[in-house]
Amino acid sequence: MPRVLLAALLTLAVVAGCADRPAQADGKLNVVTAFYPLQFLSERIGGDTVTVTNLTKPGAEPHDVELNPRQVADVADAGLAVYLNGFQPAVDTAVAQEAKDRAFDVASVVELLPYTEKSEEPEGGSRDPHVWLDPVRFSTIAGALGEKMAAADPANAAAYRAKAQELQTQLQSLNQEYAKSLASCQRHELVTSHSAFNYLATRYGLTQVGITGISPEAEPSPQRLAAVAEQARETGTTTIFFETLVSPKVAETIAREVGAKTAVLDPLEGLTDTSSDYFTVMRANLAALTEALGCTS
């Protein structure tokens, strides 16, 4: 075969490959998500007509995730890349370089709260990324994601929109459960090892007291530990919360200091139990909160 003809055929193959990027060989929309809550939304809205690849492995802490070459290639091949800009720098870079025209930044459709927790963490003035812990904001993201999927795969647009609406109804019901259960509580201070719960606290009239800042790996200073312990005593805190993906030692230190117990409050950054999902974890969190705060519905 003449070289000119061969080169022309190869060029056509590349163009055809790019044109088919939004779907795999089986015809499903190829969706790449940055971390678990966005994987959850994509799978629930996409159903059987999408294939979802999550860039943060189960049980991994997503804040400082690094991508290997295979994962960068997954982003490049995505029909839709779903991420939260500013949360995971490696993902932000991969999306900007490989999928800028096929990306959905969930922060573009909801207002992000400023990070206000008083600690020594360098990014203390940044935006708080943990928006999925507010079911109302998460519902807004679900609706927008349904529209993004509909635009990326018009043949299944009606199904995406219907499933997004169904999911939004479920999230609104979850919001009502939280609002009712947390409406009357003896205590309103939420002492946590990781400052991940400001969206939840703001939505339901609670006050977050974080031992560490936005990053769960940050080490609190002795001054910060002393300040949190003093506040816990003043407010009669009975429970110090820790999360599933990091060590409970900091929470245990405060608990011993003030005579409180510890319990899990899951920020839902990643699942450790594959039999659970967003709704089961959020309801487990609600049960833990109502007990710790002395709530009566």
Side-chain angles (χ1 to χ4, degrees):
M1 179 182 296
R3 289 184 179 180
V4 174
L5 179 57
L6 177 59
L9 290 174
L10 288 173
T11 300
L12 287 173
V14 170
V15 171
C18 291
D20 291 339
R21 265 183 167 177
Q24 295 181 329
D26 58 7
K28 294 184 178 182
L29 178 66
N30 183 13
V31 179
V32 171
T33 59
F35 56 99
Y36 172 71
L38 306 184
Q39 175 191 4
F40 169 78
L41 288 185
S42 299
E43 289 176 342
R44 289 291 296 267
I45 296 171
D48 294 336
T49 57
V50 304
T51 297
V52 178
T53 301
N54 191 27
L55 297 175
T56 304
K57 296 179 180 179
E61 208 294 311
H63 283 254
D64 300 315
V65 69
E66 297 293 338
L67 303 185
N68 60 41
R70 176 64 263 175
Q71 291 174 306
V72 174
D74 288 337
V75 174
D77 291 340
L80 181 64
V82 187
Y83 75 117
L84 197 164
N85 187 42
F87 181 40
Q88 297 167 295
V91 176
D92 294 349
T93 299
V95 168
Q97 293 178 350
E98 306 292 345
K100 188 175 182 180
D101 59 336
R102 291 165 282 112
F104 171 41
D105 171 16
V106 301
S108 67
V109 296
V110 290
E111 180 185 2
L112 295 187
L113 296 176
Y115 171 64
T116 57
E117 194 63 46
K118 295 179 181 178
S119 76
E120 299 79 12
E121 195 169 357
E123 67 268 37
S126 66
R127 293 289 178 181
D128 187 340
H130 301 90
V131 64
W132 57 90
L133 293 171
D134 176 356
V136 177
R137 283 181 168 89
F138 205 44
S139 175
T140 298
I141 292 171
L145 179 55
E147 292 300 320
K148 291 291 183 179
M149 287 186 172
D153 182 16
N156 294 297
Y160 296 137
R161 291 185 174 115
K163 289 174 182 174
Q165 186 173 27
E166 179 183 1
L167 183 55
Q168 286 183 294
T169 299
Q170 294 171 339
L171 288 166
Q172 292 297 338
S173 294
L174 179 65
N175 171 54
Q176 291 168 9
E177 290 177 38
Y178 263 79
K180 180 180 179 181
S181 297
L182 300 177
S184 179
C185 301
Q186 296 176 19
R187 294 169 293 278
H188 297 88
E189 292 75 25
L190 180 60
V191 182
T192 65
S193 61
H194 171 203
S195 297
F197 298 93
N198 192 32
Y199 287 94
L200 187 152
T202 299
R203 177 64 61 188
Y204 303 111
L206 306 176
T207 300
Q208 175 184 241
V209 180
I211 302 171
T212 64
I214 289 290
S215 171
E217 302 298 334
E219 290 290 336
S221 68
Q223 292 81 5
R224 181 60 185 165
L225 289 172
V228 173
E230 181 179 359
Q231 188 168 357
R233 290 192 196 94
E234 290 176 351
T235 57
T237 296
T238 62
T239 305
I240 309 297
F241 289 107
F242 66 94
E243 64 180 79
T244 52
L245 297 180
V246 297
S247 170
K249 290 182 179 180
V250 171
E252 291 169 348
T253 298
I254 296 290
R256 284 194 301 268
E257 181 73 17
V258 303
K261 64 180 181 179
T262 59
V264 171
L265 196 63
D266 194 331
L268 264 164
E269 294 174 350
L271 288 184
T272 55
D273 180 2
T274 55
S275 66
S276 299
D277 67 8
Y278 176 87
F279 284 111
T280 58
V281 173
M282 284 293 284
R283 290 190 169 101
N285 281 347
L286 179 57
L289 286 169
T290 55
E291 179 180 353
L293 301 179
C295 304
T296 56
S297 56

